[in-house]
Amino acid sequence: MGGQKKEQKSKKILPLGVGAVLGTGAAVFGGCRWLFNYAIERKQWNIHGLMYRLLEGNGEPDPYYKEVDKAEEELKKLPYEPVTLQSVDGKTLRGRFYSGKEGVQDVFLAVHGCRNRGTREYSFLSSYYRKAGVPFLLIDLRACGDSEGDYMTYGWKESEDLLLWISWLIGKCGESCRIFLHGISMGAGTVLMTGERELPEQVAGVIADCGYTSACDEFSYQMKKCFHLPVTAPILFLTNLISKRKAGFDIRKAAPVEAVKKSKVPHLFIHGEEDDYVPFYMMEELYQACAAPKWKVAVPGAVHARSYYVNPELYEESVEKFRAVTR
């Protein structure tokens, strides 16, 4: 009789165990699919706004965004030349070229961050370009702004696209121009990734503002910060499988910390000390790995992508010194 009861109990437990395993597997896969959509896919699920407010603590009104809106509208009123290029894989890429003072050789190629656009990311910083009289090109990266594309690749394909923009600038500004690649956040990752590519001699320097060491490092950091996960490797592995299948993008290839080991042109690293989105310590890791002549600037009190907004004087002085030492 006792054995019969145990057998009946086992039969009841088995389906529960299978259900728990299947449920856990479905939850893990769902989380990986969400991460892929959140980080890489252009078209976002509606849940992301709610998640951002709940997990990142950004539910409070921030006057910064109203100032950005105003600054961007002012920038859009300035005269510019629309530029359209075709990427190697057939994506239409768009940008805006703003002329500088006559005779100025330096020109800036400005590269924005994830899910942003050139006019917005550089709505404040463009005031420095205008004061300095330098021509500048604001681009929209693939899968962002007015450019085509369904997936962001955190500098992997974007750095290939930069070669096209650089070539266009040389044709526009002449063989004697000096081009500075200036990136913020994912834009910083993109300009740093050019360390793996053969750059024209006109590229005089790279300015990386709040760049990450690698996409894997950044995704892992975000998962630990938002979800307090002790282990992220399995989730990253599965997310990468989804990414390779849907986007043809191996997340491991987006590794600026490896690219800068091959860099030859001078680098300036800038990072806000209070950045908790792309953590401040990543600047030091990038700086130490960089094989090219290099400088670094820490901006006290600045959170992610707001170093110029918090301390424009320090920012401008640092960039001016960098331009001088690269002549």
Side-chain angles (χ1 to χ4, degrees), residues 108-127:
F108 280 72
L109 173 47
V111 189
H112 64 78
C114 180
R115 301 195 182 280
N116 216 322
R117 56 184 179 267
T119 53
R120 188 168 183 81
E121 190 81 87
Y122 286 83
S123 56
F124 294 124
L125 245 169
S126 62
S127 64

Side-chain angles (χ1 to χ4, degrees), residues 66-95:
K66 289 186 177 180
E67 294 183 45
V68 169
D69 291 339
K70 183 179 178 182
E72 183 181 20
E73 287 306 309
E74 292 300 316
L75 176 59
K76 286 182 175 179
K77 293 176 184 176
L78 299 177
Y80 68 91
E81 176 183 344
V83 187
T84 302
L85 298 179
Q86 204 76 10
S87 71
V88 173
D89 56 350
K91 304 291 188 297
T92 298
L93 308 174
R94 295 184 173 89

